[in-house]
Amino acid sequence: ENTSLQSQPSPEEWNYGATAAHVSQGPFVSVSKSVPPRRDYLIAAVLCYGNLINFMDWFIVPGILLDIQKYFELSDGNTGLLQTVFILCYMVAAPIFGYLGDRYNRKIILGAGIFFWSGVTLGSSFISESYSWIFFLSRGLVGIGTASYSTIAPTIIADLFEEGKRTTMLSIFYIFIPVGSGLGYVLAAGMAHATDDWHWAFRITPCMGVLALVLLILLVPHRTQRRTAAHRALSISGMIRVAAEKPGVHRTAKTTWCQDVLSLAKNWSFVWSSLGLTAMAFVTGALGMWVPLFLYRAQIVQGLVTPCLQESCSSSNSLIFGGITIGTGILGVVAGAEAARRLRKINNKADPLICAASMFISALCLYVALMVAQTNILLTFIFIAFGELFLSVNWAVVTDILLYVVTPRRQSTAIALQILVSHLLGDAGSPYLIGIISNAIQAKHAQSFQWSFWSMQYSFIICAFVGVFGGGFFLLTSFYIEEDRKEAER
């Protein structure tokens, strides 16, 4: 196989992305695995490391939100807009990278994305207070870069491993969402505290990105999409033998992007699980952006801290919240994957039912956390931790649902569309919406620390109700999951 940058497979051999497989004309398929299993795990480790950096960059801004808000003199609404700009650019770019990932060399796309977003992150650390619009623009550009990674990397892991190990490896991959998010808080807060300058928080992940790029170039082969897809074809060798033996049965034909989208829109398991993920994204986006600032305002109302009037404010809430995010994320993803593995043996609808139950419990925990925030900060931390724990249960399970209800040749497109919908209706708007509601409440009352806290508390309640809707969407998924899985296998 030609692995040069410019060369493409011949039209007779080319199928899209995850299902490109060379089918022989004889009655049997012979596919050799050119890369040993140990190399597959090494490739997965490199992709996990990249995912860690990806989500660290996502949550550097929330980790030092108070400092950035003061530096650029932003209102709550405009502060929330920072994350909204990031997510909007991320979700608009995702379908483009999904299209490219299903058709072209995924390694090159990943490498270009890492290089781009790391460079923009580094550049944003040198922006002065009089150019806040450039800072907003830089966050949008980082969102475009990270979209390439989130869209394509999971499909490579899915191609490397068969179904049993695939769930485990995807679980490990998605553990780095909460771990990276939490480390983003910790890194931002720690660097701001150590240097007395929040700009340094944006100068660490670019160095990590350079290492990720080097590892990607050295360890990930150009031909992953073709070799691993052929390997996957062995698991359905009976179907391929039929295609080779019977003239009336043909290999999978190329389809246009519009045909792929139309097919996915008829897949109700994909539709409802994507809406459930949208509710998850709404809640996690709002929590990730505002929780440290909300806790800071609650502590002021309780008299535990004094209002910050200096240039660099205490970041203890970001450090604690970052630690909670890491711990609950690891535990939640592992628990979700293990629960799914065990319950699938007795119930074919286990995956969506697990997601539904965890969303309902998470919504309840978050509501309790908001209600006790004014009187007991410790209980607030505890219930926020439980809320995040049950949200994290769903990360790997939702992706695994997509991978077995969508035919492999549409998986990059499906992931891209899921990213688009979940972010468009989820965390693209939730940080800004919370900030706008908070501004509106404060505008109707005299300015005070008490109303500053109440405005954030009242606006946060919407997250609990959205979580309940998310649980309902996953319940609807359970009605269609068996039929859609069989259809994807056919």
Side-chain angles (χ1 to χ4, degrees):
E1 179 180 3
N2 193 334
T3 59
S4 65
L5 220 97
Q6 292 82 12
S7 300
Q8 300 295 339
S10 64
E12 292 181 1
E13 293 182 356
W14 193 347
N15 206 334
Y16 291 156
T19 54
H22 189 107
V23 182
S24 67
Q25 298 303 315
F28 297 97
V29 177
S30 177
V31 181
S32 62
K33 188 163 181 173
S34 59
V35 180
R38 189 174 299 175
R39 180 72 177 273
D40 291 348
Y41 287 107
L42 191 58
I43 293 170
V46 172
L47 296 175
C48 289
Y49 174 67
N51 205 35
L52 174 73
I53 304 168
N54 186 355
F55 281 89
M56 287 178 69
D57 273 327
W58 275 50
F59 288 93
I60 287 177
V61 168
I64 47 175
L65 192 62
L66 182 58
D67 290 321
I68 293 175
Q69 188 177 36
K70 289 178 59 182
Y71 184 79
F72 291 114
E73 297 180 355
L74 303 175
S75 65
D76 283 352
N78 288 335
T79 303
L81 193 60
L82 272 172
Q83 198 75 344
T84 295
V85 168
F86 175 91
I87 298 298
L88 283 173
C89 292
Y90 174 87
M91 72 181 190
V92 169
I96 299 173
F97 288 115
Y99 176 89
L100 296 175
D102 278 341
R103 288 156 175 82
Y104 301 106
N105 192 302
R106 293 179 288 186
K107 174 180 177 177
I108 297 175
I109 299 171
L110 289 180
I114 293 173
F115 178 81
F116 180 77
W117 96 62
S118 297
V120 174
T121 299
L122 179 62
S124 65
S125 68
F126 299 100
I127 299 172
S128 66
E129 64 267 31
S130 55
Y131 292 97
S132 60
W133 66 273
I134 298 181
F135 189 77
F136 277 82
L137 176 63
S138 71
R139 295 309 297 166
L141 294 176
V142 171
I144 293 174
T146 58
S148 66
Y149 203 89
S150 297
T151 304
I152 296 173
T155 66
I156 296 179
I157 291 181
D159 286 344
L160 289 171
F161 302 96
E162 296 301 324
E163 183 174 349
K165 291 184 178 179
R166 185 186 67 200
T167 301
T168 301
M169 296 311 297
L170 283 172
S171 300
I172 295 172
F173 180 81
Y174 282 104
I175 278 175
F176 288 93
I177 293 179
V179 171
S181 303
L183 285 178
Y185 288 103
V186 173
L187 169 68
M191 289 302 297
H193 176 73
T195 63
D196 240 7
D197 182 1
W198 62 266
H199 293 85
W200 279 96
F202 291 91
R203 296 168 186 170
I204 303 300
T205 54
C207 299
M208 299 173 67
V210 171
L211 177 59
L213 185 58
V214 171
L215 292 174
L216 184 75
I217 293 172
L218 295 178
L219 300 177
V220 179
H222 283 289
R223 61 179 184 268
T224 44
Q225 65 266 42
R226 297 194 57 177
R227 177 194 66 76
T228 54
H231 179 61
R232 177 185 293 183
L234 288 174
S235 66
I236 53 171
S237 59
M239 295 172 60
I240 297 176
R241 284 196 296 270
V242 171
E245 292 171 353
K246 295 185 178 180
V249 181
H250 303 286
R251 287 175 290 175
T252 305
K254 296 180 184 179
T255 56
T256 65
W257 187 81
C258 291
Q259 289 173 325
D260 289 345
V261 172
L262 184 61
S263 176
L264 291 170
K266 297 177 181 179
N267 187 325
W268 287 109
S269 295
F270 170 74
V271 171
W272 291 121
S273 63
S274 295
L275 290 176
L277 181 63
T278 300
M280 284 175 55
F282 185 99
V283 176
T284 55
L287 292 177
M289 188 69 177
W290 290 112
V291 161
L293 188 59
F294 171 73
L295 294 171
Y296 165 74
R297 293 181 180 181
Q299 289 169 335
I300 290 178
V301 170
Q302 294 183 36
L304 299 177
V305 299
T306 57
C308 177
L309 302 176
Q310 57 193 11
E311 183 175 346
S312 181
C313 300
S314 172
S315 303
S316 59
N317 288 324
S318 293
L319 290 170
I320 296 172
F321 184 66
I324 289 174
T325 301
I326 295 171
T328 59
I330 294 174
L331 182 60
V333 172
V334 171
E338 182 63 18
R341 185 182 69 83
R342 291 177 179 272
L343 294 178
R344 281 176 197 155
K345 299 176 181 178
I346 59 175
N347 190 334
N348 292 331
K349 300 180 179 181
D351 287 353
L353 293 177
I354 289 170
C355 293
S358 64
M359 286 297 292
F360 290 137
I361 297 173
S362 175
L364 178 61
C365 291
L366 293 176
Y367 181 81
V368 174
L370 294 173
M371 293 300 100
V372 302
Q374 187 171 347
T375 57
N376 193 318
I377 201 68
L378 178 59
L379 279 179
T380 304
F381 273 115
I382 291 173
F383 279 102
I384 286 176
F386 277 110
E388 283 207 306
L389 173 66
F390 284 101
L391 280 176
S392 298
V393 164
N394 294 348
W395 284 117
V397 181
V398 171
T399 302
D400 210 29
I401 289 174
L402 181 149
L403 291 172
Y404 64 66
V405 301
V406 175
T407 186
R409 65 189 171 88
R410 295 192 177 107
Q411 286 176 355
S412 286
T413 297
I415 291 176
L417 286 175
Q418 194 172 75
I419 288 173
L420 176 64
V421 172
S422 64
H423 292 302
L424 176 64
L425 303 178
D427 54 351
S430 61
Y432 184 58
L433 179 62
I434 298 299
I436 287 295
I437 295 174
S438 178
N439 277 353
I441 295 173
Q442 290 183 53
K444 295 181 180 181
H445 301 87
Q447 187 174 3
S448 67
F449 292 116
Q450 182 69 67
W451 273 110
S452 179
F453 164 76
W454 279 338
S455 65
M456 188 67 66
Q457 182 188 46
Y458 296 155
S459 60
F460 250 140
I461 291 177
I462 191 174
C463 291
F465 291 101
V466 171
V468 173
F469 278 108
F473 291 137
F474 283 121
L475 281 180
L476 289 172
T477 304
S478 68
F479 296 143
Y480 300 93
I481 191 110
E482 292 179 292
E483 179 182 347
D484 289 334
R485 180 168 189 167
K486 292 176 182 177
E487 179 64 25
E489 290 172 352
R490 285 195 294 269

